[in-house]
Amino acid sequence: MTIILFIYGACLGSWLTAMADRYATGASPIYPASHCDTCQTPLAYWQMVPVISYLLLRGRCHYCQQRIPPTTLYLEIGAGGLLTMLTSTTVRPLLWLGLWGFAALCDARTQNFPGWVVWLAWPLTVWSLPWPTIILATCLLLGVQLLWQRWPNPLIGDGDLELILAYTLYWGVTATAQWLLVASLAALCRARNYKRLAFLPYLVSSAVAWWLIRK
Ligand SMILES: [Zn+2]
């Protein structure tokens, strides 16, 4: 069972990475079939197997020898590993992390992500909260979205703020403080350009790490 879940997770990780690449280039999510981003050659079936293909190809395109970023491999292994923890109680956090993980992949490429991710993750975010809190939080989220459309140069992206709001609702204030601290330290250590920093990848990595620690 663990092996099957790992394979599913790795496929899911591979697919989400490909979808984020297509979001970044504005390509259709379904057409054309998987291909090399550099030479555009369609991939054979054996070049599309998560983890194994990367190792067989030694991290390069079979046709044009263009390097495939190793993050692809790490994401496939990471997603596979996370899905092995799937149980009836971890469905909600794993789905939530998966959705925000996709947003982070898009953010890393374009400093933007599809707005539907926030709303798709929203029922998971507020699942166990009382109704008055849900209504108040949803108004707050709408407020952030409306305000940020009108604000020319905000200091922080609306996506970052929406994730911080969602995380606080899901895990509480203390957990949020610890989570933000780790994400900010990681960003400070790794980022080269603070002005145009994609913060979501750090936030989501920290969220995954904290989820694993607290589990
Ligand atoms: Zn190629």
Side-chain angles (χ1 to χ4, degrees):
M1 194 61 197
T2 307
I3 295 167
I4 293 171
L5 282 174
F6 181 86
I7 295 169
Y8 269 115
C11 290
L12 204 66
S14 171
W15 181 71
L16 288 179
T17 312
M19 286 302 112
D21 283 335
R22 287 182 181 219
Y23 171 77
T25 55
S28 149
I30 39 174
Y31 181 85
S34 298
H35 56 273
C36 167
D37 288 331
T38 309
C39 66
Q40 308 299 324
T41 314
L43 301 183
Y45 69 92
W46 66 271
Q47 295 156 2
M48 292 192 277
V49 188
V51 185
I52 295 167
S53 289
Y54 186 93
L55 300 174
L56 281 176
L57 292 162
R58 295 208 189 84
R60 285 182 187 280
C61 169
H62 181 63
Y63 307 104
C64 68
Q65 300 301 310
Q66 174 68 34
R67 217 165 152 260
I68 306 162
T71 36
T72 312
L73 176 69
Y74 306 147
L75 282 168
E76 287 168 359
I77 294 174
L82 275 177
L83 209 70
T84 61
M85 293 167 202
L86 184 72
T87 62
S88 57
T89 49
T90 58
V91 173
R92 182 183 163 214
L94 281 176
L95 257 174
W96 192 90
L97 289 170
L99 281 167
W100 279 106
F102 174 68
L105 289 173
C106 295
D107 189 40
R109 287 158 174 76
T110 62
Q111 309 246 313
N112 205 345
F113 67 89
W116 53 258
V117 174
V118 185
W119 290 106
L120 202 60
W122 197 244
L124 299 164
T125 305
V126 297
W127 190 263
S128 56
L129 296 173
W131 271 107
T133 317
I134 294 180
I135 294 165
L136 200 72
T138 309
C139 290
L140 201 60
L141 178 64
L142 281 168
V144 168
Q145 295 203 330
L146 281 173
L147 197 68
W148 253 250
Q149 280 170 13
R150 280 159 182 74
W151 197 343
N153 270 314
L155 279 171
I156 181 169
D158 57 343
D160 305 324
L161 207 63
E162 284 157 11
L163 177 54
I164 292 169
L165 174 67
Y167 196 95
T168 314
L169 289 166
Y170 196 145
W171 272 283
V173 178
T174 316
T176 302
Q178 296 166 333
W179 162 69
L180 272 178
L181 183 71
V182 171
S184 309
L185 285 176
L188 277 175
C189 293
R190 287 226 36 202
R192 287 180 203 97
N193 183 354
Y194 298 118
K195 276 217 162 140
R196 290 191 58 79
L197 168 79
F199 195 31
L200 273 192
Y202 297 101
L203 289 173
V204 174
S205 308
S206 173
V208 171
W210 277 111
W211 182 69
L212 290 172
I213 292 167
R214 294 205 185 94
K215 226 171 75 62

